[in-house]
Amino acid sequence: MRKTVIPVLLAFSLFGYAQNTKTADSAKTTDIQEVVVTSLGIKRQARSLTYSSQQIGGDELTEVKTPNLLNSINGKVSNVQINRTNGVGSSVRVVMRGNKSVSNSQPLYVIDGIPIINEAGKAPEISQYSSMPDPGDVLSSINPDDIESINFLKGASASALYGSAGGNGAILITTKKGRAGRSTISYSTSLTVDNAYSLPKLQHSYLSYDPAVPNETPGSSIYSWGAKGSSKDYLKDFLQNGTTWVNSLSFQSGNEKSTNYFSIGNTTNKGVVPMSYFDQYNVSFRNSSKYLDDKLTLDANFIGSLQNSKNRQTPGASFSPLVSLYWLPRGVDFDQYGPDNYSYLNKTRLLPAQNWWEIGPDGTFKGNPATQNPYWILNRNQVTVSNKNAYSSIALSYQINPWLSARVRGNYSWNISDSQRDISAYSDPALLANGLNGRLLKNVYENSSTYGDALLIGNPKLTDDISLDFTVGGSINTTRNKVTQIDNSYLANPNLFTLNNLQWAVNRAPGDGYHNIYWNMKKQVQSFFASASVGYKNMFYVDMTFRNDWDSTLALTGRKGFDYESVGANAILSSVFKLPEVIDFWKVRASYATVGLGLPSNISNAMVEYYKAYSYGVDAGTIVYPKSSFVTSIQELSPKPELNKTFEAGTELRLFKNRLSFDITYYNSNATNQLLETAISSNLGGIPSGSYYINAGKIQNTGLESSLSYKIFSSEKFGWTAMVNGSANKNKIVELFPTSISVPQDQLFSLTGGGNYTKMKLGGSFGDIYGIKFQRDDQGRVLVDANGVPLATTGSLGYLGNPNPKFIIGFNNAFNIGKLGISFLVDGKFGGKVLSLTEKANDLYGVSKASADARDVGGVSIPNAVYAPGTPQAGTAYNGKTDARAYYSATGGVNNGTGIDEAYMYSATTVRLRQASISYTFDVDSKYMRNATVSLIGTNLFFFYKKAPFDPEQVSGNTPGGVGVDSFGLPVTRSIGLSLKANF
């Protein structure tokens, strides 16, 4: 039953290892002498590890199911920050111990000891005009019921054997395998109702017109700054209760020679937005067999999935049905534009035309940007995403003698993501890009990876006091990426969205939708690695690793490879000294490692001038050369792999007969050789004008992470286990250019996916948000004009804040009262600032509650404000109230570069009830059924504290810069339902 699992997991999490032999339902406390599995599937003694990691078991992932298994991790593992993108099936952004790289801060994912790719399609950026949703990733397609455990190797020392791929840490996923003995069948199902909440606060007490004024009617203005009056809240009626139904059926059997595990699963989701759905099918199979007197072991695994979704929500205003309702002029009757009346037959072309208040008699739209009928967007601008994922692996291990074994392994992973948006004729002309018959957008991303390695693993007995564990091996990893991006607004036949209906040989005008980009990239890394762990009397251990990678991304750079090393040591103080009986185990540890990241695929072609490059892209038949090149004249800026140097130290304690467990770790990492792309407009430091890739810069992360668990009560009649995870991280941009290069120190660099908002600057932090600020005087007072309207800064953007939390805490509790189990998880993220473009636009249009409240009280009070120079009362304090429309017309905005962003920065601090469950287990013990567990479950139930008008945890896209800016994302959803698990 679930009640026995949490105490074990909590004890495990504090000793940093991945337990290969542990079963999720075992309540046995692991002995510190036990052999466990670490990097590359290598077995080690748990007490010998010199680094920190944390593990949770499969039952933790399935107690309260979420469609993406990584969403179940939030709050349960210290110093792991997980950001959701957009709804069921979307990808998640995982960062451990802070952002380290401008190229990629995501960890390496490993299944059963073998690395995989977790690629996805094209991620959306922070933009009002995003056209495609987040397409999901490989991890979102794995069935949580197939997972035995997940181990988080957060530091460089823990993942050093993975080389450059493990530069940001590694997440080790161990899948279930069959067990010898009785054959079993397990079935689990959960059905939850999803409800949107924490919606933008809108007003319905002011209209968009004044009934007393002749010729003013509903919809005559796109703004809602009219007379007092009531209007209907159509948003709440538009949103529906979504449902998520997850089913999983598994079979396992085996004997002493061979075991099998097979499962099938299905996830079906109906979204909170009408006409949106997600459907997924999973299958997995794993066989483990022994041959040749049990000396030869074969382990084979296959995981596959199919995903299909329709109308997954896209960030930005262009294709959001919710924005059309946010901005709906108050007083307009939306019911006349409902699901049965969103279009009509245009008699001239005999095509469906859009029925919407904003469209004038001549077919033009009033707004800029324009809104569309929500049901037109869902029916005539629909977007579909189809994903296919397959993973297969095989491992052969031969026991040469009692202390030496050889292992050969390999895997092949493949995934394809196909996203397509159809934009019908009579849509907003700006979205049609001059297309009269419609427009088709299509992104196809196909990724594959082939990995193989050979290892020699030994643990010879040197003496009774000295132990040795070593590994020597080599690997080869080849990845391929094929990308097709199509944008065509020249359809031969209207509203026929097929590739053979697209016309390419046409005369085009600037701004037309017209792209057919294709590229095919290949990358290969060949590696040699070795590790050794030397122990003395089971009290002291020294751990060393070495790895050399030969990376094809370094072609043309003058170097072929690079090496990484790590060294660590620990002491088991409870074995060295006679300690009080209350202390059962005490270990101190420290380690130092260097790891890093290679260059992006094919980027080293920029070593030569663009017009001499032999590698280029093709766009609709036109050759596209690389737009940037490397600086080859200055050695310090020559291309090289990123390098992360990390030191960590920590201690682990068990007290009161292992009832209390504590772990704390300090770390300091410095990631250098960041790959930055920038334009140099004048000769700086000897660099001619142009666009360049610069290999420079240093990002530093320093922090503490800790975990505490306590079995407060542990009897069968009543048990209570509590666990607290806490972490704090400080990120700093220590260097961007070498001091020998005379580049302005205030130079800003954009982060991928951050639009015009997230930047890097010397002395700042990763993900800093920049934008337009209030003009202020020397004393920091806000400057206003003669009418009391605040003034905005012009020219360069100003620093607004950083979205990353300063401190993260998770508080997990599990109770058992006989066969009744109760658990809940509260987690909080403290510190940080976020920007809401949604609130900024709603204020401009006069549809926000804040704009109505300001009208009710006669205007907006501006604290600490003075009249600006050049006004009649320059320098004197402004204590009046500014007209609401004038104020929000100045601060609000939709298009980039308008309004005052500083007015829409909010605290990112949140404290929420992440999940809760109440379960009861029935012991059947019949001929065919062993037991069944019924649970009431809930996720994202409510916030104890939240000041931002959106969930700061949600991001626009899975990109380095996609954090901290709300660009019309999907509202927060809570899920409540029932689950059943039966074992036969």
Side-chain angles (χ1 to χ4, degrees):
M1 179 186 165
R2 177 69 185 88
K3 64 184 181 182
T4 63
V5 176
I6 287 185
V8 178
L9 299 177
L10 303 185
F12 283 2
S13 66
L14 303 177
F15 280 84
Y17 52 79
Q19 161 86 1
N20 192 42
T21 58
K22 168 189 167 291
T23 62
D25 296 314
S26 170
K28 176 179 177 292
T29 302
T30 302
D31 192 291
I32 56 176
Q33 300 282 358
E34 189 170 355
V35 175
V36 296
V37 176
T38 59
S39 297
L40 294 173
I42 299 169
K43 292 183 178 181
R44 293 272 306 276
Q45 278 193 332
R47 66 187 295 145
S48 71
L49 301 182
T50 60
Y51 50 79
S52 171
S53 70
Q54 199 167 350
Q55 175 183 284
I56 66 172
D59 281 11
E60 280 281 85
L61 304 173
T62 58
E63 177 191 18
V64 179
K65 285 188 176 180
T66 58
N68 189 319
L69 64 91
L70 290 179
N71 279 326
S72 302
I73 308 300
N74 252 317
K76 298 178 182 177
V77 183
S78 65
N79 220 347
V80 176
Q81 186 175 347
I82 298 175
N83 295 97
R84 298 174 292 108
T85 50
N86 214 341
V88 175
S90 298
S91 62
V92 295
R93 183 179 186 271
V94 181
V95 174
M96 300 192 290
R97 291 186 177 177
N99 295 277
K100 306 176 187 68
S101 171
V102 300
S103 300
N104 176 28
S105 288
Q106 294 248 46
L108 171 70
Y109 294 92
V110 180
I111 295 180
D112 296 327
I114 309 177
I116 67 164
I117 55 171
N118 187 41
E119 298 287 351
K122 185 178 182 181
E125 297 195 354
I126 297 172
S127 170
Q128 303 276 21
Y129 308 102
S130 292
S131 59
M132 290 292 195
D134 178 272
D137 56 11
V138 175
L139 267 296
S140 68
S141 69
I142 293 180
N143 184 359
D145 283 306
D146 294 338
I147 305 303
E148 181 78 18
S149 65
I150 299 182
N151 192 29
F152 292 80
L153 305 183
K154 292 173 280 188
S157 297
S159 58
L161 274 183
Y162 287 114
S164 59
N168 295 314
I171 296 179
L172 310 184
I173 300 171
T174 301
T175 62
K176 291 180 179 178
K177 60 168 64 175
R179 302 174 189 170
R182 176 181 174 181
S183 299
T184 61
I185 300 175
S186 294
Y187 172 70
S188 67
T189 183
S190 68
L191 178 63
T192 58
V193 176
D194 309 321
N195 172 257
Y197 72 108
S198 192
L199 297 163
K201 294 181 179 179
L202 304 176
Q203 67 89 5
H204 300 282
S205 56
Y206 286 90
L207 303 174
S208 61
Y209 66 103
D210 188 344
V213 177
N215 299 323
E216 282 200 10
T217 59
S220 58
S221 172
I222 62 175
Y223 302 101
S224 294
W225 291 104
K228 190 83 172 177
S230 63
S231 59
K232 185 178 178 181
D233 184 356
Y234 294 104
L235 177 63
K236 291 184 178 179
D237 293 338
F238 178 78
L239 292 170
Q240 62 185 15
N241 287 328
T243 56
T244 303
W245 191 19
V246 183
N247 291 279
S248 180
L249 181 64
S250 65
F251 307 82
Q252 54 181 310
S253 64
N255 52 41
E256 297 301 325
K257 294 291 185 181
S258 181
T259 61
N260 293 284
Y261 177 87
F262 173 75
S263 77
I264 53 175
N266 168 251
T267 299
T268 300
N269 169 262
K270 182 184 76 171
V272 296
V273 173
M275 301 182 63
S276 62
Y277 73 83
F278 170 83
D279 201 19
Q280 173 176 284
Y281 293 91
N282 307 83
V283 63
S284 71
F285 175 74
R286 185 174 182 182
N287 171 268
S288 298
S289 301
K290 298 179 180 179
Y291 306 91
L292 305 179
D293 296 328
D294 296 346
K295 291 184 177 182
L296 179 66
T297 302
L298 169 68
D299 195 350
N301 195 3
F302 174 80
I303 301 173
S305 68
L306 299 173
Q307 291 181 340
N308 289 287
S309 68
K310 180 179 179 180
N311 286 330
R312 183 178 294 178
Q313 294 305 291
T314 302
S318 296
F319 295 101
S320 171
L322 302 185
V323 170
S324 298
L325 292 171
Y326 295 163
W327 298 351
L328 182 72
R330 301 305 186 249
V332 171
D333 181 11
F334 178 67
D335 290 334
Q336 63 180 310
Y337 305 106
D340 299 322
N341 199 28
Y342 68 87
S343 68
Y344 65 94
L345 183 65
N346 179 278
K347 296 181 179 180
T348 303
R349 301 189 64 190
L350 298 179
L351 293 174
Q354 184 174 178
N355 183 28
W356 190 229
W357 70 269
E358 194 171 341
I359 304 175
D362 59 352
T364 59
F365 285 72
K366 299 176 183 178
N368 182 25
T371 65
Q372 299 190 106
N373 189 313
Y375 293 103
W376 178 271
I377 294 173
L378 297 172
N379 285 276
R380 298 293 180 180
N381 294 167
Q382 68 180 19
V383 60
T384 58
V385 180
S386 175
N387 294 338
K388 300 180 180 67
N389 302 287
Y391 167 83
S392 59
S393 69
I394 187 168
L396 282 171
S397 180
Y398 186 78
Q399 193 71 37
I400 300 172
N401 60 39
W403 59 268
L404 183 65
S405 64
R407 185 180 302 169
V408 179
R409 308 177 304 177
N411 73 6
Y412 176 75
S413 53
W414 170 87
N415 66 81
I416 185 169
S417 177
D418 187 343
S419 304
Q420 179 170 319
R421 184 178 292 279
D422 305 335
I423 307 176
S424 296
Y426 293 102
S427 296
D428 174 14
L431 303 179
L432 283 169
N434 295 324
L436 297 178
N437 290 336
R439 181 183 180 190
L440 182 145
L441 301 170
K442 191 177 185 69
N443 293 331
V444 181
Y445 281 66
E446 182 178 2
N447 310 288
S448 65
S449 173
T450 305
Y451 175 90
D453 64 22
L455 293 80
L456 197 63
I457 305 169
N459 56 342
K461 182 178 180 180
L462 302 182
T463 69
D464 290 338
D465 294 335
I466 300 176
S467 64
L468 171 65
D469 292 272
F470 71 85
T471 301
V472 178
S475 67
I476 183 169
N477 189 12
T478 303
T479 59
R480 293 177 173 85
N481 308 95
K482 297 179 182 179
V483 177
T484 302
Q485 295 179 0
I486 295 175
D487 180 354
N488 191 302
S489 59
Y490 293 93
L491 278 64
N493 297 294
N495 297 344
L496 178 60
F497 301 101
T498 60
L499 297 184
N500 59 3
N501 190 45
L502 304 180
Q503 301 179 88
W504 296 104
V506 293
N507 292 323
R508 296 178 289 134
D512 288 2
Y514 194 94
H515 294 289
N516 185 3
I517 301 174
Y518 173 81
W519 65 86
N520 188 346
M521 296 179 293
K522 177 182 178 182
K523 172 183 176 178
Q524 186 173 97
V525 179
Q526 302 172 4
S527 308
F528 168 80
F529 45 82
S531 70
S533 177
V534 180
Y536 177 71
K537 289 188 175 181
N538 286 335
M539 295 187 299
F540 302 98
Y541 294 90
V542 176
D543 197 9
M544 297 165 286
T545 68
F546 170 84
R547 175 165 175 142
N548 196 91
D549 286 350
W550 293 272
D551 195 329
S552 65
T553 62
L554 297 178
L556 305 179
T557 66
R559 58 189 300 170
K560 296 180 180 179
F562 42 88
D563 59 85
Y564 303 122
E565 298 83 26
S566 73
V567 61
N570 71 36
I572 314 300
L573 300 183
S574 51
S575 298
V576 177
F577 304 106
K578 179 66 175 177
L579 300 176
E581 291 186 4
V582 69
I583 300 177
D584 302 297
F585 179 79
W586 186 12
K587 180 173 80 171
V588 293
R589 61 176 189 267
S591 62
Y592 177 82
T594 59
V595 295
L597 293 169
L599 298 172
S601 299
N602 286 12
I603 201 171
S604 60
N605 291 312
M607 287 293 294
V608 295
E609 294 87 351
Y610 74 92
Y611 54 84
K612 295 180 183 177
Y614 63 83
S615 176
Y616 47 80
V618 178
D619 182 1
T622 301
I623 295 177
V624 181
Y625 293 100
K627 66 177 182 178
S628 300
S629 60
F630 280 103
V631 179
T632 57
S633 58
I634 301 177
Q635 183 61 33
E636 290 177 284
L637 302 181
S638 62
K640 58 185 75 71
E642 291 184 19
L643 186 64
N644 179 13
K645 300 178 179 179
T646 298
F647 168 79
E648 73 170 70
T651 186
E652 304 168 19
L653 275 166
R654 288 186 183 182
L655 300 91
F656 310 125
K657 297 182 179 180
N658 293 326
R659 292 178 63 184
L660 177 67
S661 300
F662 177 69
D663 183 305
I664 187 168
T665 302
Y666 164 84
Y667 62 88
N668 179 280
S669 72
N670 289 276
T672 58
N673 303 334
Q674 300 290 323
L675 185 64
L676 308 172
E677 186 175 8
T678 186
I680 293 179
S681 57
S682 60
N683 195 305
L684 292 175
I687 306 174
S689 301
S691 181
Y692 294 97
Y693 294 112
I694 305 293
N695 250 136
K698 178 190 293 185
I699 298 176
Q700 183 183 82
N701 284 278
T702 305
L704 285 170
E705 59 192 29
S706 62
S707 185
L708 173 70
S709 72
Y710 184 44
K711 295 180 183 180
I712 303 172
F713 299 99
S714 57
S715 69
E716 291 187 5
K717 292 185 177 180
F718 180 70
W720 177 15
T721 298
M723 180 176 184
V724 179
N725 287 301
S727 62
N729 183 78
K730 183 178 181 180
N731 180 283
K732 185 177 181 181
I733 311 299
V734 178
E735 180 183 286
L736 283 177
F737 282 93
T739 54
S740 59
I741 308 300
S742 56
V743 174
Q745 297 299 300
D746 59 353
Q747 177 88 21
L748 294 177
F749 292 89
S750 297
L751 286 172
T752 301
N756 198 46
Y757 297 99
T758 55
K759 310 283 186 180
M760 286 182 60
K761 181 183 177 182
L762 182 65
S765 298
F766 195 102
D768 284 344
I769 299 174
Y770 282 79
I772 301 171
K773 303 183 69 174
F774 288 105
Q775 277 195 36
R776 299 178 185 271
D777 64 8
D778 295 340
Q779 300 179 44
R781 297 176 295 182
V782 176
L783 298 178
V784 300
D785 65 14
N787 297 316
V789 178
L791 302 178
T793 56
T794 58
S796 60
L797 301 175
Y799 171 75
L800 299 177
N802 186 279
N804 294 301
K806 296 179 180 179
F807 183 71
I808 303 174
I809 189 170
F811 180 44
N812 202 355
N813 284 266
F815 304 86
N816 69 275
I817 306 171
K819 296 178 181 180
L820 178 69
I822 302 173
S823 69
F824 66 88
L825 170 64
V826 176
D827 72 270
K829 296 180 179 180
F830 301 89
K833 295 270 189 149
V834 290
L835 169 65
S836 176
L837 301 181
T838 307
E839 199 73 14
K840 182 181 174 183
N842 290 348
D843 279 354
L844 174 69
Y845 283 101
V847 297
S848 65
K849 184 177 183 299
S851 69
D853 292 343
R855 281 174 272 189
D856 289 341
V857 298
V860 180
S861 298
I862 306 175
N864 195 29
V866 296
Y867 286 99
T871 61
Q873 303 179 61
T876 61
Y878 174 69
N879 298 314
K881 289 186 176 182
T882 305
D883 176 74
R885 182 168 188 177
Y887 178 86
Y888 288 117
S889 294
T891 60
V894 180
N895 296 305
N896 188 34
T898 61
I900 301 177
D901 299 310
E902 184 182 358
Y904 300 97
M905 294 296 293
Y906 303 89
S907 168
T909 297
T910 58
V911 180
R912 77 182 80 199
L913 180 58
R914 174 75 61 178
Q915 67 180 44
S917 71
I918 302 174
S919 63
Y920 190 85
T921 297
F922 300 89
D923 291 327
V924 180
D925 287 331
S926 68
K927 181 178 180 181
Y928 297 106
M929 179 181 285
R930 290 184 296 158
N931 55 58
T933 302
V934 179
S935 305
L936 174 65
I937 58 176
T939 59
N940 265 337
L941 293 169
F942 58 84
F943 289 92
F944 293 101
Y945 181 91
K946 180 175 75 72
K947 292 297 185 181
F950 66 101
D951 184 359
E953 191 175 276
Q954 186 161 304
V955 297
S956 295
N958 189 352
T959 58
V963 179
V965 181
D966 166 40
S967 182
F968 303 99
L970 194 67
V972 187
T973 57
R974 68 165 59 90
S975 301
I976 300 174
L978 294 170
S979 72
L980 166 69
K981 183 176 181 180
N983 296 310
F984 301 90

